[in-house]
Amino acid sequence: MKPNQSLQLTLAILKPHVVKSPFALQSIRDLIIDEGFKVVRSRRTIIKPMEAELFYADHKKKFFYNRLLTFMCSGPSDIHILAAKDAILKWRRLMGPTKVYHAQFDAPDSIRGKYGLSDTRNATHGSDSPESAAHEIGIFFKDFSTEQWYESEEIFYNLGMIKFDPLAFVHTIDKSQDKSEAKPNLE
Ligand code: ADP
Ligand code: MG
């Protein structure tokens, strides 16, 4: 990662029970936009068992590992690369605590407080460090290079030279809005 970069990337997953629930899905999408995240890439996919194994390799020994994998592969998930200042911490704060009862008691307005159904079906995923963000992005967006994004795309997201496609739920670069050349209309 470059020093002094102003946008950070994180990987967010809206887990299968959220994607099945139109109200929860829309309200989490609204929150992402209202909180100022830029949606750099989006895809909807049924996570393959091999991808889930790689993604949750650190949890292989945990008692909930099998149920976690079964759940994560049980239906479509929405997977997003989000950009914002301090995106990792910001998204994790919005998600709330991992365990649903902690979330419901300590952070009832958080995503997990509102839409978590159980410790496993806790609505969303968020990367926990820049290293894990880069690793997780690599699992689900194989043709995305974080380094290249910082070199050639970050500036446009940073300057707001982007447009939002609500159906695809993604911000794309829009070079026609060159804000550095915007002049006041004096007529
Ligand atoms: P987080 O998603 O907040 O980073 P972890 O990395 O510890 O949390 O766990 C990964 C995922 O495993 C959680 O999001 C949740 O789906 C599941 N999980 C974690 N702890 C438990 C638990 N005690 N029982 C069941 N599932 C759990
Ligand atoms: Mg984690």
Side-chain angles (χ1 to χ4, degrees):
M1 300 280 244
K2 286 183 183 174
N4 303 322
Q5 69 202 22
S6 49
L7 294 182
Q8 186 179 53
L9 298 177
T10 192
L11 186 90
I13 302 182
L14 313 192
K15 297 187 180 185
H17 70 93
V18 165
V19 172
K20 275 194 204 125
S21 161
F23 177 78
L25 179 64
Q26 192 55 51
S27 90
I28 295 170
R29 285 182 162 198
D30 289 347
L31 184 71
I32 289 171
I33 301 305
D34 292 348
E35 288 290 329
F37 286 99
K38 308 303 178 215
V39 187
V40 169
R41 298 286 189 280
S42 277
R43 62 184 283 237
R44 176 168 294 180
T45 186
I46 300 176
I47 294 175
K48 296 187 186 76
M50 275 182 63
E51 292 170 323
E53 278 174 32
L54 204 56
F55 191 72
Y56 284 121
D58 289 349
H59 296 295
K60 205 173 166 73
K61 300 252 158 67
K62 306 268 174 68
F63 73 92
F64 55 79
Y65 178 73
N66 284 336
R67 90 171 69 134
L68 177 60
L69 257 57
T70 304
F71 167 59
M72 291 303 289
C73 301
S74 67
S77 292
D78 280 357
I79 312 183
H80 307 298
I81 303 176
L82 303 180
K85 191 169 180 296
D86 295 325
I88 291 172
L89 199 59
K90 184 171 168 163
W91 177 241
R92 285 196 69 95
R93 282 210 182 110
L94 289 171
M95 291 200 306
T98 303
K99 293 197 172 192
V100 73
Y101 285 111
H102 290 175
Q104 284 170 352
F105 282 102
D106 299 336
D109 294 331
S110 66
I111 293 171
R112 287 168 163 176
K114 282 179 168 163
Y115 304 113
L117 300 178
S118 68
D119 289 346
T120 304
R121 293 176 297 161
N122 60 354
T124 50
H125 167 85
S127 310
D128 61 10
S129 68
E131 294 70 30
S132 56
H135 172 65
E136 292 171 358
I137 288 169
I139 294 174
F140 292 115
F141 295 89
K142 294 211 185 324
D143 56 356
F144 183 88
S145 156
T146 297
E147 203 167 281
Q148 221 176 324
W149 186 81
Y150 278 111
E151 264 166 33
S152 53
E153 292 191 35
E154 195 250 8
I155 180 92
F156 298 105
Y157 285 85
N158 222 335
L159 292 173
M161 290 172 62
I162 48 178
K163 61 182 175 208
F164 180 56
D165 176 344
L167 271 186
F169 196 65
V170 74
H171 288 96
T172 52
I173 291 173
D174 179 8
K175 293 183 183 168
S176 68
Q177 337 172 4
D178 187 346
K179 297 193 172 164
S180 64
E181 288 184 7
K183 293 190 181 82
N185 184 353
L186 301 175
E187 287 180 349

